[in-house]
Amino acid sequence: MLTIKQSDKSFYIGDSEQEPLAEIVFAYEGEDVIEIQHTNVSETLKGQSVGKKLVQRVAEFAREKKKKVVPLCPFAYKEMMKNKEEYADILAE
Protein backbone atom coordinates (compact mmCIF):
# COMPACT_ATOMS: atom_id res chain seq x y z
CA MET A 1 0.00 0.00 0.00
CA LEU A 2 1.41 3.36 -1.03
CA THR A 3 1.11 6.20 1.45
CA ILE A 4 0.43 9.67 0.08
CA LYS A 5 2.11 12.30 2.23
CA GLN A 6 1.48 16.04 2.23
CA SER A 7 3.76 19.04 2.27
CA ASP A 8 2.69 22.67 1.98
CA LYS A 9 3.06 22.59 -1.83
CA SER A 10 2.63 18.97 -2.85
CA PHE A 11 1.35 15.50 -2.20
CA TYR A 12 4.01 12.86 -2.66
CA ILE A 13 4.93 9.21 -2.28
CA GLY A 14 8.34 8.25 -0.96
CA ASP A 15 10.61 8.83 1.97
CA SER A 16 11.17 12.55 1.45
CA GLU A 17 9.62 15.52 -0.26
CA GLN A 18 13.00 16.34 -1.79
CA GLU A 19 13.30 12.97 -3.57
CA PRO A 20 9.77 11.61 -4.08
CA LEU A 21 8.91 8.50 -6.06
CA ALA A 22 5.78 10.34 -7.22
CA GLU A 23 4.42 13.83 -6.64
CA ILE A 24 1.77 16.32 -7.59
CA VAL A 25 2.83 19.92 -7.07
CA PHE A 26 0.31 22.69 -6.48
CA ALA A 27 0.20 26.39 -5.64
CA TYR A 28 -2.45 28.66 -4.24
CA GLU A 29 -3.84 31.24 -6.62
CA GLY A 30 -5.54 33.75 -4.39
CA GLU A 31 -7.61 32.51 -1.46
CA ASP A 32 -10.02 30.25 -3.30
CA VAL A 33 -8.06 28.41 -6.00
CA ILE A 34 -5.46 25.66 -6.09
CA GLU A 35 -3.44 25.30 -9.31
CA ILE A 36 -2.06 21.85 -10.08
CA GLN A 37 1.27 22.66 -11.66
CA HIS A 38 3.08 19.38 -12.16
CA THR A 39 2.68 15.63 -11.74
CA ASN A 40 5.54 13.16 -11.84
CA VAL A 41 5.60 9.40 -11.29
CA SER A 42 8.84 7.41 -11.28
CA GLU A 43 9.28 4.44 -13.59
CA THR A 44 9.10 2.07 -10.60
CA LEU A 45 5.49 3.12 -9.93
CA LYS A 46 4.23 3.37 -13.53
CA GLY A 47 1.12 1.34 -14.31
CA GLN A 48 -0.24 1.47 -10.74
CA SER A 49 -2.63 4.43 -11.23
CA VAL A 50 -0.43 6.53 -8.94
CA GLY A 51 -0.96 9.73 -10.95
CA LYS A 52 -4.72 9.24 -10.78
CA LYS A 53 -4.53 8.69 -7.01
CA LEU A 54 -2.54 11.90 -6.60
CA VAL A 55 -5.13 13.87 -8.59
CA GLN A 56 -7.86 12.35 -6.42
CA ARG A 57 -5.95 13.38 -3.28
CA VAL A 58 -5.73 17.00 -4.46
CA ALA A 59 -9.49 16.88 -5.15
CA GLU A 60 -10.15 15.62 -1.60
CA PHE A 61 -7.92 18.37 -0.23
CA ALA A 62 -9.74 21.02 -2.28
CA ARG A 63 -13.10 19.80 -1.00
CA GLU A 64 -11.85 19.82 2.61
CA LYS A 65 -10.57 23.38 2.23
CA LYS A 66 -13.53 24.54 0.10
CA LYS A 67 -11.26 25.53 -2.82
CA LYS A 68 -11.59 25.28 -6.59
CA VAL A 69 -8.94 23.61 -8.76
CA VAL A 70 -7.24 24.72 -11.98
CA PRO A 71 -5.38 21.77 -13.52
CA LEU A 72 -2.48 23.46 -15.36
CA CYS A 73 -0.54 20.19 -15.50
CA PRO A 74 -1.41 18.32 -18.73
CA PHE A 75 -1.79 14.97 -16.93
CA ALA A 76 -4.06 16.39 -14.22
CA TYR A 77 -6.09 18.28 -16.83
CA LYS A 78 -6.59 15.13 -18.93
CA GLU A 79 -7.53 13.07 -15.86
CA MET A 80 -10.01 15.65 -14.59
CA MET A 81 -11.61 16.18 -18.01
CA LYS A 82 -11.89 12.41 -18.59
CA ASN A 83 -13.73 12.13 -15.26
CA LYS A 84 -15.42 15.53 -15.29
CA GLU A 85 -18.50 14.39 -13.35
CA GLU A 86 -16.25 13.26 -10.48
CA TYR A 87 -14.51 16.65 -10.33
CA ALA A 88 -17.27 19.04 -11.48
CA ASP A 89 -17.80 20.42 -7.97
CA ILE A 90 -14.21 21.63 -7.62
CA LEU A 91 -13.19 22.63 -11.14
CA ALA A 92 -12.68 26.37 -11.45
CA GLU A 93 -14.52 27.98 -14.35
Side-chain angles (χ1 to χ4, degrees):
M1 185 77 183
L2 298 172
T3 302
I4 298 176
K5 301 172 186 172
Q6 181 179 351
S7 75
D8 37 326
K9 62 178 176 93
S10 71
F11 288 98
Y12 65 96
I13 295 170
D15 292 331
S16 76
E17 177 186 359
Q18 290 73 33
E19 294 183 34
L21 294 174
E23 70 178 338
I24 189 163
V25 178
F26 60 86
Y28 293 100
E29 180 62 37
E31 292 184 23
D32 300 324
V33 176
I34 297 171
E35 290 180 344
I36 299 176
Q37 299 178 328
H38 176 72
T39 305
N40 185 49
V41 177
S42 70
E43 287 298 320
T44 59
L45 296 178
K46 296 272 185 195
Q48 298 179 46
S49 298
V50 172
K52 181 177 182 172
K53 291 174 186 167
L54 289 170
V55 170
Q56 289 170 337
R57 183 62 189 101
V58 171
E60 290 171 14
F61 179 72
R63 288 181 183 108
E64 290 166 11
K65 301 294 182 185
K66 299 189 179 357
K67 308 272 187 210
K68 295 292 186 180
V69 174
V70 175
L72 297 178
C73 161
F75 173 82
Y77 178 83
K78 183 178 174 185
E79 185 63 34
M80 293 181 104
M81 292 301 115
K82 184 169 67 173
N83 300 291
K84 203 167 187 174
E85 61 284 341
E86 182 180 343
Y87 299 110
D89 62 319
I90 58 164
L91 281 170
E93 295 178 9

